[in-house]
Amino acid sequence: MALAYLGSNKTNPTSPMSSPPQLILTQDQLKKIAAYKAVEFVESGMVLGLGTGSTAKHAIDRIGHLLSQGKLTNIIGIPTSTKTHEQASSLNIPLSDLDTHPVLDLAIDGADEVDPDMNLVKGRGGSLLREKMIEGCCKKFIVIVDETKLVDYVGGSGLALPVEVVPFCWKFTAKKLECMFEEAGCVAKLRVCCENGEAYVTDNGNYVVDLFLKKCIGDLRAAGDKMMRVVGVVEHGMFVDMATTLIVAGEFGVTVRNKC
């Protein structure tokens, strides 16, 4: 993985006025730092919600490594996606489900956006329904991000706010959602696979309609309730008041923030 440094390479290293080059970490390295910090909260004997995505992957790798070393024992993982299930299985992390363990000690996952109140946008990886089910059952939900995921308001990145919908008459459902947030400049688009242009299908056999917003949609709970009243909507990607701890890796180190 390539690293970049601040400062000119023309500086004379023997000059008393020169300073050592400053290391700049890549986005993936920042994600890894945040993930490893989150795993410090994991204790032996815990039932863990295992998130999905590039940041959560680092946390799962770390948990698997600590288990193999015997530094963690008696861990049970509840995966939030088929992909996470495969990764955890390859690391010999014991797995179960919510039917067997309806209350989790801790969940660790990334987020696509985090607003100043620690509300999240999740689901750009397509696992929002299972993530919300599992992370809604945990005593502590740790969110791990790099600083690029911080936004002023939900939708503030200009990227997708995902909504999982049933395939039947998805255009009708998408139009309903678009009209609902018309004042926020909402545009609703069906998510498609890059490989073949076909509709993306979630682990639950559903489609994802991505909402692109130009303005804040206001009260998030009210907005979420409105979406859930649209027939055909399965779940939305706003995780409101769910995160208990936020770990952010950035240019000046790692910050840990707990929900008041």
Side-chain angles (χ1 to χ4, degrees):
M1 188 177 295
L3 297 179
Y5 291 88
L6 291 177
S8 170
N9 58 10
K10 296 180 180 179
T11 303
N12 181 357
T14 63
S15 169
M17 298 300 293
S18 65
S19 58
Q22 185 175 358
L23 183 66
I24 299 178
L25 299 177
T26 66
Q27 186 178 19
D28 189 63
Q29 287 170 323
L30 291 173
K31 291 177 180 180
K32 188 173 183 178
I33 291 168
Y36 277 38
K37 183 66 177 178
V39 176
E40 292 179 10
F41 290 84
V42 176
E43 299 176 2
S44 294
M46 281 187 166
V47 180
L48 303 175
L50 304 177
T52 297
S54 57
T55 310
K57 180 181 183 298
H58 288 304
I60 297 166
D61 283 341
R62 180 64 173 165
I63 291 167
H65 179 67
L66 293 175
L67 279 169
S68 69
Q69 290 187 322
K71 294 180 179 180
L72 284 176
T73 57
N74 300 319
I75 293 294
I76 296 175
I78 313 294
T80 56
S81 67
T82 300
K83 188 172 183 179
T84 296
H85 188 287
E86 292 171 352
Q87 180 195 1
S89 294
S90 72
L91 296 168
N92 297 314
I93 299 175
L95 300 177
S96 189
D97 54 38
L98 289 180
D99 293 330
T100 307
H101 298 278
V103 179
L104 284 65
D105 297 296
L106 177 69
I108 299 174
D109 206 353
D112 300 306
E113 292 183 1
V114 183
D115 78 3
D117 296 317
M118 288 173 55
N119 298 311
L120 317 173
V121 170
K122 290 177 52 60
R124 291 179 191 156
S127 303
L128 61 107
L129 175 58
R130 296 190 186 187
E131 287 173 338
K132 190 171 283 190
M133 289 179 68
I134 290 169
E135 289 153 9
C137 294
C138 59
K139 298 174 184 177
K140 189 178 184 70
F141 176 25
I142 300 178
V143 177
I144 46 178
V145 296
D146 67 89
E147 61 187 355
T148 66
K149 302 300 170 56
L150 303 180
V151 296
D152 293 330
Y153 60 88
V154 163
S157 68
L159 301 176
L161 167 57
V163 182
E164 187 163 342
V165 304
V166 296
F168 178 74
C169 292
W170 69 264
K171 291 182 181 179
F172 172 82
T173 307
K175 191 62 178 178
K176 284 276 191 181
L177 291 167
E178 189 173 86
C179 292
M180 182 179 294
F181 301 114
E182 184 177 7
E183 292 185 0
C186 180
V187 176
K189 296 181 180 180
L190 179 70
R191 185 177 299 183
V192 297
C193 298
C194 297
E195 299 82 13
N196 54 23
E198 298 292 327
Y200 173 86
V201 180
T202 70
D203 287 343
N204 315 299
N206 296 315
Y207 289 174
V208 174
V209 170
D210 288 322
L211 306 183
F212 297 88
L213 306 167
K214 294 182 179 178
K215 298 178 183 178
C216 178
I217 58 176
D219 187 319
L220 299 182
R221 284 196 177 277
D225 289 344
K226 285 174 64 178
M227 281 192 274
M228 294 305 296
R229 287 198 293 269
V230 175
V231 178
V233 169
V234 179
E235 188 54 82
H236 60 78
M238 293 191 302
F239 285 48
V240 181
D241 290 332
M242 290 182 62
T244 58
T245 300
L246 174 65
I247 298 177
V248 183
E251 179 182 358
F252 300 107
V254 176
T255 61
V256 179
R257 177 183 169 193
N258 292 307
K259 191 78 171 181
C260 298

